[in-house]
Amino acid sequence: MSHEVESMFSVRETPWHGLGTIVQEAPTSAEALQLAGLDWEVQSKPIYTESGIEIPNYRANTRSSDGLVLGIVSNRYSIVQNAEAFSFTDDLIGDEVHYETAGSLRNGKTIWLLAKMEQTSILGDDVDPYICFTNSHDGLGSIKVCMTPVRVVCNNTLNLALRNYRRAWSTRHIGDISSKLEEAQRTLQLAHAYMNDLAETADQLANTTLTNSDVERFIDGMFPTPEDATDRMKKNAEELKEQMTICYLAPDIAKFRNTAWGMVNAASDFATHRPMKRVTTNSKENMWASVLAGNVTVDTTFMKMMELVNSKTVA
């Protein structure tokens, strides 16, 4: 997928595969649009047969900069331009918006931007909430917006599926897109409510004790070894357990050790930073996708830890 990263910029960090532009300060939306190579529009064009007859009910989304066909869509498809995505995020976050990265994948078929919100604190840790907007122009994907909090001290994402507030929203490219984006904006205005809920949940988890035996049993359960497992499978499971344990014993989690919150952070560290068993050309993009969709290890750990919180509350 390295060839699918067409253009991008990143603030102070080397972009994926060394492609794109590094800038030292977060740009404005107008600057970000150009730095990311997204300063073009999607144009809707009719489609014709070889004999010159227009094909009804379908249109071609093309890129204004070079005429490249991005996708074939129905005539019900509503285009959301790249500039509209930045305008949406500007309106959502306000004057203090800081764009950390943005870019184009698959020759403009998919675009993304990541903007930083105002820093907050959870259990004494600085947390940076980010808003991520992705959009596809090929007719195969929806508009997606999500927020992802990052614990600054260890650069771990806290993408937790809280009960009261969702962190993600999406819609298809059909109907009145402008009103749907307004609804998305209203929904994501609840980002602060999500962060408050996250802080309350973190407090519950931090006040739920885990013994060393609890930790060992949990990690063993996360990476079970079937009775008919091959030697390679057994070795892989043991390596995963060891890596998870190392994450749990990391210095940045020390103050939360022997708590459910410490285990959740260990799972996040494991999912985000552990060495990849097999590095491929799209490994980093897959990790980026988990920012949007969530990670199975983190989701499972969080669910199990919340079950423990609830069981102790009932008891």
Side-chain angles (χ1 to χ4, degrees), residues 210 215 218-219 244 248 259-268 301 305:
L210 295 178
V215 171
F218 175 76
I219 294 177
M244 185 75 155
Y248 177 74
T259 71
W261 182 239
M263 182 54 70
V264 169
N265 277 273
S268 176
T301 301
M305 292 300 106

Side-chain angles (χ1 to χ4, degrees), residues 14 16 22 45 57 69 85 102 108 130-131 141 144-145 152 162 166 171 183 193 211 232 255-256 260 264 275 292 307:
T14 302
W16 297 329
I22 303 175
K45 299 290 184 66
N57 303 323
V69 176
Y130 291 85
I131 289 289
K144 295 186 178 72
V145 189
V152 175
L162 304 182
R166 60 178 178 171
T171 187
E183 177 61 29
T211 65
R232 179 182 292 274
K255 64 180 179 178
F256 301 124
V264 169
L292 296 179
E307 288 176 358

